[in-house]
Structures are given as structure tokens and as C-alpha cells.
Amino acid sequence: MKRLYENALIYGRLFTVDRPHLVERYNKALEAFRLPPTKLDRFDIDRTGFSPQVAEELGDFDYLDPAGINRRFIILTPGQASLPVVHTRFSNTGGLMHEFYTANARAIHALTIKDVIYGEIEDNVSAIEDIEDLLSIEQVQFKVLSAENVLAKAAELRTLVDRLKTEPDAWRDDAMLEQMVTLAQTTGDIRSNRLVPDQVVFRHSAFWTSHFGGTYVFVDDKMTTVICDADAPGFRRSRPWQVSYLDIGDHRRVFDFLSRSGRIDLPSASWLEGGGFIDHRADLALRGLVHAIDPDADLTAADPVWLQTFVSRNAGPIREDGTYPFLNSARRELARTGRIDIRDVPHALRFQIVRGKPDHHDAWLTNRLISEYVPRDFVTLYVFNKQRFYAEYERWDDGFRGFVVETLKNTYLTDKAGLRARLFGLD
């Protein structure tokens, strides 16, 4: 992982905590979670407050996610709202945190001037033991606390202010007035500083979770669809009257669901040609085959002439794999007719020429699911499915890791938004 870290491909764009008062506040939150304080004087945090350095120090990368549910958070600055989420068991953790930051921006800004905000994203489930537990999560509530108890003091001051306004003789109560002055020294002027978050309950809709080897939950008006390993506990048994279950290994049924529910762009020249989507998939499919057939080949130096020679000399195994010949054939058909009839494509290859429909609210989740079926496209894997990308990276040899890192540096990191727009139509 060192090479990924050095090239900002893991734990990139985080906020560096190196000011003593912020380190102290972070430790107060850790202590509130009954965790030992960090001895580090410099570390990085993501949108949720997770720190890879603190995790390594504690020997526990789930220190903010101890049960894989009810995720904890630590907020030192409102600037965390724009950071990524680098470690999570649920794909929508980042989205829920973003909604919380957006809905309570004024309160978060005011509170973090003097205090650290911490707490849990709570739901009605305390442990995930089967699919029914996942289906039971319909909304979450942010339980918000602060180390210096600013929230409670603000509420107490508000009560005293209301007494002062409504009780005719309250201004004669010197003890109450002194208490108000003391509280205001901590909270500031609560008439201009909104210190209590307004919105703490948010809807929990479609998501991926790492539980049961990776589970996808898609929510439609009349039906919820669960896609995971068929051996997951509760598969086809939890709420069968309102939940459709698909084995993630069943390419045909998963594809039919995504197509029928309008979640994918079927192949057409309107989006495939302009962005070079098939060229991208074909190039990575071929280079992945090269590495599988000849692990010692230098992929970074493999130019088109070298690759064509390799294809000629290894026609048998390349034809047997089928992916590269199919993409070449699809490219020719698209150039000739402007379309590809998906009905003529084998089920196992259909995911090679589709993407999540960009204007669908599940576009990112859909592209994540598609990446499960096109693992040689490590760029798509990295963009949408970093957990699996990192797992795959651990299995690759050093030479292939070097090629992957160089490719991501020269394609994705140079223009992230451009690549997402060009290949996937995403803003």
C-alpha cells in the first residue's frame, strides 16, 4: 500500500490535524468513545473524522465503526464536509454525513470554533446478523455531543433567556443573571450563533455494505432488491413478499434487473463513441490478459505495435477468454451500424458495454455493482469500488501494481471530473 499512499491513491485529500488544540479536542472525543487518546501530534482525518494513522496506532481500522453499524463521527472543522470518506462499511455513509453538514452548517461552524462535535449515526439496529437487519434500516438519526458540553449549555442558556423574557421579575434574580453570563462565556451570543443542529434525522435508501461479502440494496416504489451471495443469512427468507433476491453470481438476472429498472445506459453510439468507452475497456482487458499470459511483460512499455504482435502470437488463449475479441467486435459493429443489440451479447459480457444511467439517483451505486463484473477495468474499480480495488491490489504482483499506479496517475488523477464525465457521463 506504500506505493498507493505515495501517489495519493489511498488516503488522499484528507485534513491534517497538527495544531495542539485540535489534537486535544480529537482526544477528548476518543476518550468519550472510551478509546485511548492518540500520542500522535500530526495525523489526517476524513469527512467522518476517521484517521488512518490513528487506526494504525490503535491497531483497529474499525475504531469508529466497532460493530459495523451505528457509525461514529468526530468533527473538528466544517471544512471536513468537502473531504472524502476513506473507510466505511456502508457506501452511503459519505452521503449521510454530507447531508448532515449541509443541513446544519451554521451550527457546525459555530460549535467547532470552541469545541469538538462527536457522536453516532444511529438506527434501530445494533448488530448485523442477517439480511433482515439490513432491511430494517430505513432512516438514521445523528446523536450529536460535544466535549465541552456546549450543546447542553446553549440549551440551558436558551431556557434562561426565555425566562428573562417571559417572567416580569426575572431580571431581579442576580444568581440567574450571573449564570447566564457564565454560560455565555462558553456559548457566545446564542441569538446570532445557532449552536444546536436543526436536522438530525435522514433517510437511509439504496446502499452497498461490506456485510456478507458485499451486499447491494436497491429501493424502488413497490419493491426492494437485494443483490449478494446466495449463501448470505436471510437470503430469500426475509420479507419475500416485498423483497426480490438476486444472487450476485447470476449475471443474467442482475443485468435484467438493472435494465428493467432503468438504471443502466444500454450500448449506443450517442455515448459509447464520443467518450472512448469501448477503447478504454478493450485496452485494459487486453493488458490484463497480457499480464495473465506473461506476468513478466512490461505493460508500461507496451505500445500498440507490441500489443498487436502479442495478440497474433497468443490468439488461442485470448479467444478462449473472449473479452477482448468481443470488445473489438462491438467496436466494429458500433462503427458500422451505430448500435449494438444487447440481445445478441452473451450474458457474461453484457456488463462490458454498459454504464450506470447518469441521471438516475443510483448512478454511483449502479456503477459500483457493474465494476464487480469487469474486474480487469481497474480504473472503474478504483473510481466506484475502492474497497474491492484495494483487495485486488493486495493480490497483484509488484510489476502489475506499478502499471496500475502509473495508469491511474496518467488517466484519473490528472483530471478526475473529466474522466468521470467522459466515460460515465457524471458531473
Side-chain angles (χ1 to χ4, degrees):
M1 291 294 181
K2 182 180 178 183
R3 182 184 277 142
L4 294 176
Y5 185 79
E6 290 172 345
N7 289 278
L9 288 167
I10 189 171
Y11 305 143
R13 290 198 308 109
L14 302 186
F15 175 77
T16 299
V17 180
D18 55 4
R19 296 182 181 180
H21 73 284
L22 292 182
V23 175
E24 181 183 3
R25 290 179 185 178
Y26 194 86
N27 275 332
K28 287 181 178 179
L30 289 179
E31 289 168 1
F33 291 139
R34 293 182 172 79
L35 293 170
T38 179
K39 297 177 182 177
L40 303 172
D41 56 13
R42 179 187 176 92
F43 52 89
D44 301 319
I45 59 173
D46 73 355
R47 187 181 302 176
T48 69
F50 169 83
S51 168
Q53 295 91 345
V54 172
E56 188 170 350
E57 180 189 28
L58 295 174
D60 181 9
F61 275 75
D62 285 327
Y63 75 100
L64 291 185
D65 207 359
I69 195 72
N70 295 332
R71 172 61 179 262
R72 296 168 173 174
F73 58 88
I74 301 174
I75 301 175
L76 295 176
T77 167
Q80 285 174 237
S82 62
L83 302 179
V85 174
V86 299
H87 184 76
T88 181
R89 303 288 295 274
F90 283 83
S91 63
N92 59 351
T93 298
L96 291 169
M97 287 296 302
H98 180 75
E99 288 186 70
F100 177 75
Y101 278 107
T102 301
N104 303 289
R106 285 185 60 187
I108 292 171
H109 185 273
L111 278 167
T112 52
I113 292 174
K114 299 184 177 220
D115 206 353
V116 56
I117 305 170
Y118 65 91
E120 292 184 352
I121 307 175
E122 293 187 328
D123 52 52
N124 58 329
V125 176
S126 59
I128 302 295
E129 297 179 351
D130 56 27
I131 290 176
E132 176 59 33
D133 294 325
L134 294 177
L135 296 175
S136 298
I137 306 172
E138 296 181 351
Q139 66 180 29
V140 299
Q141 179 171 348
F142 280 71
K143 180 182 178 182
V144 186
L145 303 168
S146 63
E148 300 300 330
N149 212 19
V150 172
L151 289 168
K153 291 177 181 178
E156 184 180 355
L157 181 56
R158 172 64 63 191
T159 301
L160 295 179
V161 169
D162 289 343
R163 278 189 58 194
L164 190 64
K165 289 180 178 179
T166 58
E167 297 180 13
D169 294 327
W171 63 274
R172 299 178 185 273
D173 188 340
D174 291 338
M176 187 187 81
L177 295 177
E178 288 178 9
Q179 178 66 4
M180 291 176 68
V181 171
T182 301
L183 291 170
Q185 288 174 349
T186 300
T187 66
D189 186 348
I190 62 172
R191 294 173 301 176
S192 57
N193 294 334
R194 183 180 296 167
L195 294 174
V196 180
D198 290 328
Q199 186 176 349
V200 295
V201 177
F202 300 92
R203 182 73 180 171
H204 192 285
S205 53
F207 60 91
W208 165 91
T209 177
S210 63
H211 292 280
F212 315 127
T215 301
Y216 292 81
V217 177
F218 292 92
V219 180
D220 293 300
D221 289 340
K222 297 181 179 179
M223 182 65 68
T224 295
T225 301
V226 172
I227 303 174
C228 64
D229 191 305
D231 291 331
F235 190 84
R236 294 202 178 101
R237 293 193 298 276
S238 298
R239 311 185 193 186
W241 60 91
Q242 65 177 189
V243 178
S244 173
Y245 291 89
L246 303 178
D247 183 347
I248 198 167
D250 190 334
H251 293 68
R252 181 185 64 80
R253 293 192 66 205
V254 172
F255 186 91
D256 288 348
F257 160 71
L258 295 176
S259 177
R260 188 176 61 254
S261 62
R263 286 181 165 87
I264 55 174
D265 268 340
L266 294 173
S268 70
S270 61
W271 67 270
L272 277 174
E273 287 189 329
F277 187 90
I278 291 184
D279 293 339
H280 163 81
R281 283 266 161 91
D283 182 64
L284 292 186
L286 177 56
R287 291 176 187 271
L289 275 168
V290 169
H291 180 69
I293 295 169
D294 182 7
D296 295 326
D298 183 2
L299 291 171
T300 57
D303 60 22
V305 174
W306 188 94
L307 288 170
Q308 188 56 50
T309 302
F310 183 90
V311 170
S312 300
R313 291 175 177 174
N314 297 273
I318 291 174
R319 184 169 54 251
E320 183 178 354
D321 176 85
T323 305
Y324 181 69
F326 162 70
L327 289 169
N328 259 342
S329 174
R331 185 160 41 194
R332 291 192 298 269
E333 181 69 12
L334 195 68
R336 186 176 67 86
T337 67
R339 61 185 295 274
I340 300 169
D341 192 335
I342 200 69
R343 294 170 296 182
D344 297 333
V345 179
H347 295 294
L349 294 171
R350 290 182 178 184
F351 289 102
Q352 295 286 345
I353 51 174
V354 297
R355 67 181 183 183
K357 190 176 286 294
D359 57 357
H360 195 286
H361 53 79
D362 289 338
W364 280 77
L365 187 63
T366 301
N367 280 317
R368 183 187 192 116
L369 177 57
I370 290 172
S371 75
E372 304 268 4
Y373 301 101
V374 290
R376 284 206 174 108
D377 183 357
F378 56 79
V379 174
T380 296
L381 206 60
Y382 181 80
V383 174
F384 297 104
N385 196 349
K386 285 186 174 59
Q387 282 88 347
R388 177 161 180 180
F389 172 86
Y390 295 135
E392 295 289 336
Y393 184 88
E394 287 288 294
R395 289 191 279 268
W396 294 328
D397 60 50
D398 190 66
F400 194 68
R401 289 177 184 176
F403 165 68
V404 168
V405 168
E406 287 302 309
T407 301
L408 288 171
K409 281 171 57 180
N410 297 328
T411 56
Y412 185 57
L413 291 191
T414 55
D415 185 7
K416 295 180 181 180
L419 183 139
R420 291 193 297 260
R422 178 169 58 85
L423 295 181
F424 306 104
L426 298 171
D427 293 333

